[in-house]
Amino acid sequence: MGTLDSYRDRYECVAFERSDNGVLTVRLHTDGGPLVWGTVPHRELPEAFADVAADRDNRVVVLTGTGDRFCTDRDDSLSVLRSTPEGWDRIYWEGKRLL
């Protein structure tokens, strides 16, 4: 079983805040601004979701973004991964875990 203290600061693009009544707010961001989709969130979100699911103190989860848009931008970092079989494998594996 996980605890908020064990994963609160683990992720570059995810911020967590939980109220005393068990409502966990999961805020996605890139450098404190709106989330830019790329290899970092693609890698981190499956792990973050697993941490949230393993924490029995979370009663409700609110998934939100930062700023005035939600995941509308992307960088080209995933394009680089698509250039190799190993990169495709990573994209596939992480993508399955996101589902």
Side-chain angles (χ1 to χ4, degrees):
M1 180 171 82
T3 64
L4 183 57
D5 287 338
S6 70
Y7 61 86
R8 178 189 313 267
D9 299 319
R10 183 181 298 169
Y11 301 102
E12 183 180 329
C13 69
V14 187
F16 301 97
E17 183 177 332
R18 185 169 56 217
S19 67
D20 291 337
N21 62 358
V23 176
L24 180 73
T25 300
V26 178
R27 183 177 55 82
L28 306 180
H29 66 92
T30 297
D31 298 326
L35 181 71
V36 176
W37 190 252
T39 56
V40 172
H42 199 270
R43 181 189 71 243
E44 288 188 345
L45 289 181
E47 296 174 18
F49 293 160
D51 282 337
V52 168
D55 186 346
R56 295 184 61 126
D57 291 332
N58 295 327
R59 298 183 49 84
V60 174
V61 177
V62 177
L63 179 65
T64 189
T66 302
D68 61 352
R69 54 194 187 274
F70 187 81
C71 197
T72 59
D73 301 320
R74 65 186 171 100
D75 64 26
D76 291 329
S77 59
L78 289 173
S79 298
V80 174
L81 286 180
R82 288 191 290 261
S83 66
T84 67
E86 295 81 9
W88 273 108
D89 183 62
R90 175 178 160 189
I91 291 170
Y92 174 75
W93 187 81
E94 292 170 352
K96 280 186 66 167
R97 291 187 66 214
L98 275 168
L99 296 176

